[in-house]
Amino acid sequence: MDTALEPHWTTPDLHDAIRNHYDNLVDLYEDLWGEHIHHGFWDSREDKTDRHTAQERLVDELASFAPVARGSRVLDAGCGIGASAIRLAATLGCEVEGITLSEEQVRRATAKAHAAGVADRVTFRVADAMATGYPDASFDVVWALESCELMPDKAAFIAECARVLRPGGVLVVATWCARDTALDESESRLLRRIYRDFVVSHVLPIPEYERLCEKAGLTGTRAEDWTENTRATWELSSDIVRPLLRDPSYIWRLVRAKGIDIFRFINSVPLMRQAYDRGVMRYGVFRAERRP
């Protein structure tokens, strides 16, 4: 039976789809999600923090979880439009190199770094996070915020992270996760639809990442489930797509400009809420160290 816990695409097809998706929709993602195109973090179900502030808080919580030391040299693997890298530079004085497959994300992230006044500490380039090309032991921290789910070979990704870490360096990851391996047919089908619409490879249960870190020779692995802190992202998600649904003519203008991916983009938000509501999707974080 298909458990949806293996790659949805071949690696070349996935990389092409990621490039096309984000090169084409980078401006729409920023318009609807803001600078931080990832989950937010809330302390409790009663926490009324707005979505954008909660997204910044998730960056800060992940930096504390690692922890990311002040002044660290950081590789942001899957940097998006640079918001996390810019925040790490601005709040912790980090020197950050961000990598992504999308040339448009690099262009936008670079412009944002200049606007934020941190271009002397933050740079971006196109590179594959599974084969970065950096020398061994180049970074104090490898940071992957909601990019691990895009990696078709997660063992190779974590091994590459271990390779570029300096002795004593830290890998810290926040990623979409499966509940466990016991998914029924309808749950697997739901994940496959999410893979298609969000252009991701596949997700794994949180304990599987602990095993992959051990296999890569990393130590001090610690994992946590932040699902209850992040699920409000999708409970509040109607505000993301409401501007689109309010004006059908706007949707058709987007279709003419961006193509059919717009419909998948709109559909992806309720799919993620359904995955959280059904307990299929979890939100996991883990950190591990390269041996000194």
Side-chain angles (χ1 to χ4, degrees):
M1 185 180 72
D2 176 19
T3 62
L5 302 182
E6 60 281 322
H8 181 68
W9 319 66
T10 66
T11 298
D13 286 347
L14 175 63
H15 284 183
D16 286 344
I18 289 171
R19 291 186 191 98
N20 292 336
H21 183 79
Y22 287 104
D23 283 354
N24 194 35
L25 299 180
V26 63
D27 53 345
L28 184 61
Y29 266 104
E30 185 173 3
D31 286 346
L32 298 180
W33 280 86
E35 296 181 340
H36 293 270
I37 306 171
H38 56 73
H39 286 63
F41 186 99
W42 288 264
D43 289 328
S44 68
R45 297 297 289 271
E46 291 73 35
D47 185 348
K48 302 303 182 184
T49 301
D50 69 88
R51 180 167 55 86
H52 298 295
T53 302
Q55 288 171 308
E56 292 180 343
R57 184 189 289 174
L58 189 138
V59 174
D60 298 342
E61 291 288 339
L62 191 63
S64 295
F65 175 76
V68 177
R70 182 170 293 278
S72 294
R73 177 168 163 78
V74 179
L75 174 63
D76 185 352
C79 61
I81 59 172
S84 295
I86 291 167
R87 189 165 182 84
L88 291 173
T91 61
L92 292 174
C94 294
E95 177 188 343
V96 189
E97 296 202 25
I99 58 174
T100 172
L101 293 173
S102 168
E103 292 184 2
E104 282 301 307
Q105 286 188 333
V106 167
R107 181 192 61 78
R108 183 68 182 126
T110 300
K112 294 178 74 63
H114 281 279
V118 295
D120 59 327
R121 299 194 300 279
V122 181
T123 57
F124 303 96
R125 69 182 185 93
V126 173
D128 180 357
M130 296 187 301
T132 64
Y134 288 107
D136 292 356
S138 294
F139 297 95
D140 302 307
V141 177
V142 177
W143 170 281
L145 174 50
E146 296 184 32
S147 60
C148 190
E149 58 269 16
L150 277 69
M151 306 299 167
D153 188 337
K154 301 190 193 307
F157 169 63
I158 291 175
E160 176 69 354
C161 293
R163 183 187 70 79
V164 301
L165 279 174
R166 293 169 177 164
V170 177
L171 166 66
V172 60
V173 176
T175 188
W176 310 356
C177 295
R179 179 192 65 231
D180 51 36
T181 59
L183 303 177
D184 64 30
E185 184 177 347
S186 68
E187 292 171 333
S188 295
R189 188 164 54 248
L190 174 59
L191 285 182
R192 289 290 182 191
R193 292 175 66 193
I194 288 171
Y195 299 164
R196 179 198 66 191
D197 291 353
F198 274 103
V199 193
V200 303
S201 176
H202 63 297
V203 298
L204 295 174
I206 297 172
E208 181 66 12
Y209 288 109
E210 297 179 274
R211 187 188 71 79
L212 292 175
C213 287
E214 181 179 356
K215 180 180 178 182
L218 296 172
T219 189
T221 304
R222 180 163 61 96
E224 293 184 3
D225 186 327
W226 286 5
T227 303
E228 294 310 311
N229 299 106
T230 57
R231 69 165 61 248
T233 300
W234 305 104
E235 294 173 356
L236 299 174
S237 60
S238 60
D239 70 324
I240 299 172
V241 297
R242 187 180 294 117
L244 299 180
L245 300 177
R246 187 181 296 125
D247 184 358
S249 65
Y250 176 54
I251 294 178
W252 286 111
R253 288 196 299 274
L254 285 173
V255 169
R256 286 193 292 271
K258 304 291 187 180
I260 201 68
D261 280 353
I262 289 299
F263 289 113
R264 290 182 175 178
F265 180 92
I266 296 170
N267 190 52
S268 63
V269 172
L271 283 178
M272 282 293 282
R273 178 162 186 176
Q274 182 183 350
Y276 271 86
D277 288 347
R278 292 179 61 181
V280 179
M281 187 75 76
R282 310 296 294 176
Y283 194 93
V285 300
F286 63 92
R287 55 89 64 200
E289 301 172 9
R290 181 172 174 177
R291 288 185 174 87

